[in-house]
């Protein structure tokens, strides 16, 4: 079953107008963010050496308990630099979960390394560690140099690091943690993004906290972060004139956006609490519906970035796409799980270790409105709309 992105009709530029459309994860910004931005604007320091970007990096590092942080223009830029700093490049491979956003695999390709896809765990959507173990063995036998394993914390729930980290350590492969969706999540008391050798966050418009666009790289390795900082600033050498010995990138985060990030960070706990409360309501609703479950449910450390319901059509009597079609006619946005990377035309020829789980989740999962900016009335409307659908299907 091929699913499409279901957005309210007026958001797609057609169909009947819907009053007060409900979006999947709209930015949660207000007076606090406005005050931080105005303060930064009036200070007149728009360069990366101004006070806002450095302060934002220190505050994120302190928040997640890591030694060093680097503010960047996007999560994708952070992934690219993270992979470069662990040695990804031509002649190497990087293992990537096939169930992820394209940026994860694209960042590997930017380095010149080859992505090798691995399937996911059915309960969480995160990387299948058993399958990874077998894959790393086969890559070693084939003489391939594995530069990194890229772990993605799906919907804000951390992967199985109790098993993943020892496995990668035993084979000498660094873990790069794609925690783009997981800022504020924890795993056994440690923050998402700090479990591997280097981690990244995204601050795109639909994440738990946003700078409209932006990202951050974090690590306890000062040399690694210093190297990433050098590459992110056009690889300019520390001399009075412009001198370059490497190909660098213009990847630094705007200082104005860093000010926005500082405001969002001050509200992060409250925004996560609202998402968790919303997931609880979805979980309560679907608990009584046969053939449905919440993807990755039961993790108190998750920031609950998105709540996705998984539907078994044989038991439920309906498909996830049917619910999506019902929601869109009521002005409620939803979104299927990512189409797996091994199904994307651009990556169809890449090697992959598959079980079929990612394909099943793509066909059977639907992400529901999950943002902390949703009003109480909007949340009630979404739940009422889902209830209407369920009653019709009984």
């Amino acid at each position: 079953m091929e699913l499409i992105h279901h957005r309210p009709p007026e958001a797609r530029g057609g169909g009947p107008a819907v009053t007060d459309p409900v979006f999947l994860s709209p930015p949660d910004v207000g007076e606090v963010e406005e005050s931080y931005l105005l303060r930064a604007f009036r200070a007149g320091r728009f360069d990366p050496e101004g006070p806002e970007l450095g302060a934002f990096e220190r505050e994120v590092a302190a928040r997640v308990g890591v030694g060093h942080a680097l503010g960047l223009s996007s999560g994708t830029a952070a992934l690219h630099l993270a992979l470069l700093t662990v040695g990804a490049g031509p002649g190497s491979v990087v293992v990537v979960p096939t169930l992820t956003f394209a940026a994860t695999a694209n960042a590997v390709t930017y380095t010149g390394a080859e992505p090798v896809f691995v399937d996911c765990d059915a309960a969480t959507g995160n990387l299948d560690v058993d399958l990874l173990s077998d894959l790393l063995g086969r890559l070693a036998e084939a003489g391939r140099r594995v530069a990194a394993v890229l772990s993605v914390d799906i919907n804000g729930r951390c992967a199985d690091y109790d098993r993943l980290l020892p496995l990668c350590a035993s084979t000498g492969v660094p873990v790069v943690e794609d925690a783009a969706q997981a800022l504020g999540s924890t795993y056994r008391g440690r923050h998402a993004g700090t479990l591997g050798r280097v981690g990244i966050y995204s601050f795109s418009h639909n994440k738990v906290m946003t700078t409209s666009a932006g990202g951050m790289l974090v690590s306890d390795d000062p040399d690694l972060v210093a190297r990433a900082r050098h590459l992110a600033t056009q690889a300019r050498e520390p001399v009075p004139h412009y001198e370059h010995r490497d190909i660098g990138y213009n990847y630094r985060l705007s200082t104005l956006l860093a000010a926005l990030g500082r405001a969002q960070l001050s509200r992060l706990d409250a925004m996560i609490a609202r998402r968790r409360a919303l997931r609880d309501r979805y979980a309560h609703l679907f608990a009584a519906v046969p053939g449905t479950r919440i993807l990755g449910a039961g993790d108190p450390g998750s920031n609950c970035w998105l709540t996705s319901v998984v539907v078994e059509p044989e038991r439920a009597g309906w498909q996830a796409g049917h619910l999506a079609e019902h929601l869109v006619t009521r002005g409620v946005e939803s979104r299927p799980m990512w189409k797996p990377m091994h199904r994307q035309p651009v990556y169809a020829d890449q090697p992959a270790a598959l079980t079929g789980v990612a394909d099943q989740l793509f066909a059977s999962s639907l992400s529901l409105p999950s943002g902390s900016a949703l009003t109480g009335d909007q949340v009630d409307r979404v739940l009422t709309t889902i209830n209407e659908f369920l009653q019709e299907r009984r």
Side-chain angles (χ1 to χ4, degrees):
M1 178 179 64
E2 189 80 7
L3 293 173
I4 61 173
H5 193 172
H6 298 276
R7 304 200 74 189
E10 77 289 359
R12 292 182 276 116
V18 176
T19 302
D20 189 23
V22 180
F23 294 103
L24 198 67
S25 182
D28 186 350
V29 296
E31 293 180 357
V32 175
E33 287 74 14
E34 183 180 21
S35 67
Y36 274 67
L37 274 169
L38 276 175
R39 183 186 66 190
F41 180 83
R42 289 168 177 163
R45 288 291 306 274
F46 297 164
D47 60 287
E49 303 304 318
E52 295 294 342
L53 182 51
F56 185 38
E57 291 171 344
R58 291 190 294 274
E59 288 165 6
V60 170
R63 163 73 197 217
V64 302
V66 73
H68 308 275
L70 175 64
L72 296 162
S73 56
S74 68
T76 309
L79 274 173
H80 184 196
L81 294 183
L83 289 166
L84 288 174
T85 55
V86 298
S92 67
V93 300
V94 175
V95 178
V96 180
T98 190
L99 191 70
T100 187
F101 181 52
T104 316
N106 290 347
V108 175
T109 306
Y110 297 162
T111 70
E114 180 182 14
V116 176
F117 299 115
V118 63
D119 219 311
C120 62
D121 172 73
T124 64
N126 286 325
L127 183 150
D128 183 330
V129 180
D130 289 330
L131 204 56
L132 174 66
S133 177
D134 178 67
L135 176 61
L136 289 177
R138 287 191 283 121
L139 289 169
E141 289 175 3
R144 301 302 305 269
R145 182 173 75 83
V146 182
V149 168
L150 245 177
S151 175
V152 182
D153 300 326
I154 296 290
N155 282 0
R157 173 169 180 148
C158 288
D160 184 359
Y161 290 103
D162 274 353
R163 299 174 63 220
L164 177 62
L165 295 177
L167 170 64
C168 290
S170 69
T171 54
V173 176
V175 173
V176 175
E177 188 181 355
D178 181 347
Q181 308 157 25
L183 179 60
S185 299
T186 57
Y187 182 85
R188 302 195 187 286
R190 292 179 63 187
H191 282 269
T194 68
L195 294 141
R197 184 175 177 195
V198 55
I200 73 96
Y201 305 116
S202 167
F203 306 132
S204 68
H205 67 283
N206 66 359
K207 295 301 188 291
V208 175
M209 64 167 270
T210 182
T211 58
S212 75
M216 192 161 284
L217 177 152
V218 294
S219 178
D220 277 322
D221 185 335
D223 294 333
L224 182 151
V225 177
R227 175 63 178 166
R229 190 180 299 275
H230 176 67
L231 293 174
T233 49
Q234 301 283 21
R236 182 183 176 185
E237 295 296 325
V239 294
H241 58 277
Y242 287 103
E243 177 110 355
H244 306 272
R245 300 179 183 178
D246 297 301
I247 299 297
Y249 309 90
N250 183 15
Y251 276 175
R252 289 290 270 156
L253 181 68
S254 154
T255 189
L256 289 178
L257 298 187
L260 178 56
R262 295 183 70 190
Q264 287 270 278
L265 190 62
S266 74
R267 299 178 51 237
L268 179 60
D269 288 331
M271 293 191 289
I272 290 174
R274 291 213 64 197
R275 288 179 186 259
R276 286 174 174 163
L278 180 51
R279 174 168 295 186
D280 287 344
R281 295 188 68 178
Y282 282 130
H284 180 73
L285 172 64
F286 284 107
V289 182
T292 66
R293 64 181 174 91
I294 301 298
L295 183 66
D299 178 11
S302 172
N303 67 5
C304 298
W305 172 54
L306 287 185
T307 294
S308 304
V309 61
V310 183
V311 182
E312 298 177 44
E314 297 79 10
R315 293 184 59 207
W318 49 276
Q319 298 180 3
H322 295 144
L323 175 57
E325 291 166 2
H326 179 83
L327 290 171
V328 76
T329 62
R330 272 71 173 174
V332 177
E333 183 182 18
S334 63
R335 188 178 70 189
M337 190 56 67
W338 296 289
K339 184 176 182 178
M341 287 300 103
H342 70 272
R343 296 290 182 192
Q344 300 290 349
V346 69
Y347 289 122
D349 295 331
Q350 291 302 126
L354 303 172
T355 61
V357 170
D359 286 332
Q360 293 169 7
L361 288 177
F362 169 56
S364 64
S365 301
L366 189 71
S367 295
L368 302 168
S370 306
S372 57
L374 298 178
T375 66
D377 286 346
Q378 287 177 321
V379 171
D380 289 343
R381 193 174 116 211
V382 172
L383 295 172
T384 298
T385 303
I386 294 173
N387 255 322
E388 288 173 356
F389 171 83
L390 296 173
Q391 293 300 321
E392 291 173 3
R393 294 284 168 166
R394 280 188 173 179

